[in-house]
Amino acid sequence: MAKRIITISREFGSGGRFIGEEVAKKLGIAYYDKDIIGQIAEKSGFSTEYIKENAELSPKKGLFGYAFAGRDLTGKSVEDMVYEAQRKVILEIAEKESCVIIGRNADFILKDREDVLNVFIHGDMPQKVQRICRLYHVTEAEAAKMMADIDKRRMTNYRFYTEQKWGMAGNYTLSMNSSRLGYEMCEKMIMDCTKAGVAHSCICTSQVL
């Protein structure tokens, strides 16, 4: 198989990270998720703890957090510097090897490459809430709050740095509902597209089989 890069964006609780990891295992390619944090920290000079909290998520104040962030003489804020470091790491990884990259606006960062399959995984509220409750040992109310907060911050970060709408089907090759399709079918569809050489120029939106 020629070199292929798979980016997976996902709603919190949809199982996107698990699906991406399984796809990487089955295809025998590299998997990048939290391990990118150390590389971003090294390039940016910020701590891994700071990167973990801020590299993919917007400030809790949303767009205002970006608009009123302190900036240096060049006009760059701390968030801008973190994003630039993240962008460089993702570009280097994609140049190096076939891989699955989870989140971090990788679909947009790699939009000019022809060997990228961009995937968005979403799900139905009840299933996502149950998954969050099980993984994080929280109540349903707490799970719903976590989901709303994290997805809002992902959406804000994506919108600010890409000027695109997070989760819009037209930005991805595959947009799949993991609650309706199941994780195994999502994995199969991603692998089938990868093996067939389907790239970001082809749009396939799947809700229910």
Side-chain angles (χ1 to χ4, degrees):
M1 184 178 70
K3 185 171 72 171
R4 303 295 296 169
I5 296 99
I6 303 167
T7 73
I8 296 186
S9 304
R10 74 287 183 216
E11 291 180 346
F12 188 61
S14 67
R17 175 178 282 120
F18 173 81
I19 291 168
E21 188 171 12
E22 289 299 302
V23 166
K25 288 178 183 176
K26 291 174 181 177
L27 291 178
I29 61 178
Y31 172 78
Y32 290 99
D33 184 11
K34 295 178 181 179
D35 45 350
I36 289 182
I37 291 173
Q39 297 180 54
I40 298 171
E42 184 177 345
K43 283 191 179 295
S44 66
F46 295 101
S47 69
T48 55
E49 290 76 15
Y50 184 87
I51 300 300
K52 183 178 180 180
E53 176 65 19
N54 295 280
E56 186 181 15
L57 305 177
S58 75
K60 289 186 180 294
K61 294 182 180 179
L63 285 176
F64 289 104
Y66 289 121
F68 295 102
R71 300 179 183 275
D72 63 15
L73 295 177
T74 68
K76 288 185 177 181
S77 67
V78 169
E79 286 80 11
D80 293 339
M81 288 183 268
V82 169
Y83 185 78
E84 181 59 23
Q86 173 177 278
R87 189 183 73 85
K88 289 179 179 178
V89 168
I90 289 172
L91 288 171
E92 289 173 3
I93 287 171
E95 192 64 31
K96 181 177 64 173
E97 61 186 341
S98 292
C99 59
V100 174
I101 303 175
I102 303 296
R104 306 187 187 285
N105 302 350
D107 61 290
F108 182 81
I109 291 169
L110 302 175
K111 62 183 175 61
D112 294 326
R113 296 185 64 100
E114 295 295 328
D115 54 358
V116 176
L117 179 75
N118 291 321
V119 179
F120 187 84
I121 298 175
H122 55 104
D124 295 340
M125 178 73 78
Q127 286 79 8
K128 291 190 296 182
V129 166
Q130 289 305 311
R131 179 175 175 80
I132 294 167
C133 288
R134 186 169 65 253
L135 292 178
Y136 295 92
H137 307 291
V138 295
T139 66
E140 290 188 359
E142 290 170 330
K145 185 177 184 305
M146 287 174 65
M147 184 166 47
D149 177 63
I150 290 175
D151 281 349
K152 181 179 179 181
R153 293 175 68 190
R154 284 177 179 164
M155 185 184 303
T156 300
N157 178 282
Y158 190 85
R159 176 181 166 192
F160 184 83
Y161 284 109
T162 72
E163 297 184 345
Q164 300 286 321
K165 185 177 180 180
W166 181 75
M168 186 172 69
N171 291 336
Y172 309 93
T173 319
L174 289 172
S175 179
M176 299 182 290
N177 187 323
S178 60
S179 300
R180 309 288 180 88
L181 294 172
Y183 293 173
E184 288 189 8
M185 179 58 70
C186 289
E187 293 162 20
K188 183 180 185 303
M189 291 174 68
I190 294 170
M191 291 188 291
D192 286 349
C193 284
T194 302
K195 292 173 182 176
V198 177
H200 61 276
S201 58
C202 173
I203 305 300
C204 300
T205 302
S206 299
Q207 297 283 350
V208 187
L209 287 183

